[in-house]
Amino acid sequence: MKVGDCYTPGAAILAPGDTLADVMRAFLRHRLDIACVLNDRGHLDGIVSKYALYRALLAGAGLDSPVGSLVRRDVVVLRMEDSLESAKDTLLHSGVGHGVVVDREGQVCGVMGKSDIIRGFLLDTEMRAQQVTVLLDHLQEAVVFIDREQRVQAMNQAAEALFHVDKDVVLGTPVAKWLPELAGVVADAVERSIALPAGRLEIGDTVTLTSVSPIGGSRNAAGAMAVIRDITTLEAIAEELETTKNLQHTLQHAVALSYDGIAVVDPEGRITVANDALAEILDADRESLVGRPWGEAVPDVSLRRVLEGREVEGQVYTLRGRPCLITQEPIERSGKCVGAIIKVIWRRLDEWRDLFRRLEQLEREVNYYRGEWQRSHRSSSAFDAIVGRDTAMEALKREARLAASTTSTVLITGESGTGKELFARAIHQESGRPGAFVAVNCAAVPAELLESEFFGYVEGAFTGARRGGKPGKFELADRGTLFLDEIGDMPLALQSKLLRFLQEQVFERVGDVRPRQVDVRIIAATHQDLEEMVRNGLFREDLYYRIHVVHLKIPPLRDRLGDLPLLCQALIQKLNGKLNRQVKGVSPEAFERLRAYSWPGNVRQLENVLERAMNLGVSDMIDVADLPKEMRGVNSRISRTPEPAGAEGPPRPRGRSREAWEKEWVLGALEEAGGNRTRAAQILGISRSTLYHKLRKYRIEEEVRFRLGAT
Ligand SMILES: Nc1ncnc2c1ncn2[C@@H]1O[C@H](COP(=O)(O)OP(=O)(O)OP(=O)(O)O)[C@@H](O)[C@H]1O
């Protein structure tokens, strides 16, 4: 506060030649205690006080006497920019009641008396009080003033908010009513007149850090001020921090003690944690690994996939000449990859491998005994579904039953429709293997898809690959049986992969390097002459011997016509269920026709002929009229001379080559079926895969397109 802020502006001005009457008039006009006498240049010459005037009048001076003798020249002059404090000191020391206030040029601006000084100090105090209130209200800490009698004198907005009280209600009331916990502390500070440093104090539900300072004299405090900070959240955070610290400590211990190498990397692939086991395999110092980019420390192992958020399971690597198994796991937060954990297993890998081998062996033994148990507790056998009392068939079933109790690979050969798949299923069921029976027709899968169909693929293996990858037939048949139908149609490249699997029981998905191990029993089938294919270099000899461990050769139907009555009976019964009919059997005449036929499509063809007859016929016996045209006529009595193995189709007229006749036979059926291959295969009594085989063999595709297009 400055003199300029609180002086009384304006002054009673006199000239040196004025009289006492002029002085009196000036005092009356301005109601001031002093009048200023200015010289010719307007500067202060001196002052005349009311008391000097009274004294002169009492001494008998006349009103027209000049003012000159009353002028006092040791005037107290105050400047506008002087502080209020220094103005007060000047007036006190000089012992006068008023000072003349001048500006920088020495021009008189007004006067300043004691009352002006008091007003100035009052203004100053008021302003400071306002500042303190604003300051307190802007503090985050709650502040409460309490007097000696423990009554609340003041509090800021933060205190109102923290303790949910209204200042207007609380002020003047005992603090113990609102904040009992605080009352005790304040009483202590006031009583002893000492400041209590910040300490933890629970006030209601709030955990606070409270300091108390006494106000007033050092012996006899008039009250106290409490500054309170809410630390409820802070304390919770601190507790959490403590728990996290403990957890981190435990984790660090666990990582350090881990038998396997462990590293944690940040999203940029920089190592943030590494343990001694990792340092050991990398021949590095653990401390020097932390902070290094992973790619620099272990260039052979890429983290690209894991840092994209994908898990990379046990891949085999060789680090510093030692084999190891590496697993990479992404660390995700809010759906974002924020780093990865890398685990390197390298100690005692061989022991693990042996352990797994032993486990597999035990599993195989369990499977065997499970199968045995099932067999001994089952009244019917899976082989009961295979109809036939022919000696060759009986011998085959015995052999197949024996094979079922082993895990040997089985090769089943025979013409199309002889029941190769039926045998394969029976062997699987009888074996008691807990996994599934998975059948793949090697002839029906496009060559370019064969590998992924067999071995599966990993995500991103090729364009169009499914997210998350796809398991192949080998994985689907794990602990079960994989039936490889038409194995003769398997491309040579895939044959080598199959051979490797048969030798090691491991394979990799397409696009993957991680070897996978499964326990799969293989049963292969073909209507082709594999030995001849081996001779022609179309089938791998080593694979042939691998799958040839047990060989079941199913004879064609024409060679076991003794089974025809039983087969007709069993198939009619099966078809009655399917077609909802009550057919009892085949008339003797019709049966004669069936016996006379050569059955190139074997049991499947017989089933088709019976189904067609049951669909056409109305009586409960299948008659000659219900049979296909080529079986009906008396002239259709057919020579039962068997065609060489693999030859199918109706009896061929003399003079026609087998190929030309068979091709015409297939084309005729395709035309009759309007190009529908499933129907054509049914008409021919051969399986779809055999039909595909013949289509490829005779390059019929183009011809059919031409013929169908032409009609
Ligand atoms: N001995 C049999 N007893 C009963 N049904 C049989 C017999 N042999 C084959 N079948 C039936 O004939 C049809 C064809 O059998 P399957 O599919 O097993 O033959 P396949 O030799 O595998 O044929 P392809 O080589 O054409 O695939 C099936 O419906 C099957 O149930």
Side-chain angles (χ1 to χ4, degrees), residues 385-387 393 415-422 485-486 560 567 571 574 603-604 607 687 689-690:
I386 304 173
V387 180
M393 285 298 278
E415 290 178 17
S416 176
T418 44
K420 297 186 289 294
E421 184 165 343
L422 202 62
D485 202 2
E486 303 297 355
R560 47 181 167 113
L567 276 168
L571 292 171
K574 178 170 146 187
V603 187
R604 184 186 289 108
E607 198 173 334
S687 67
S689 55
T690 312

Side-chain angles (χ1 to χ4, degrees), residues 66-83:
V67 74
S69 58
L70 303 186
V71 177
R72 188 175 163 175
R73 296 217 153 65
D74 56 339
V75 184
V76 172
V77 176
L78 303 170
R79 299 182 187 284
M80 294 282 262
E81 60 276 13
D82 287 349
S83 73

Side-chain angles (χ1 to χ4, degrees), residues 557-572:
L557 181 57
R558 62 180 168 274
D559 286 354
R560 47 181 167 113
L561 285 173
D563 281 342
L564 203 56
L566 268 183
L567 276 168
C568 284
Q569 202 184 345
L571 292 171
I572 288 173

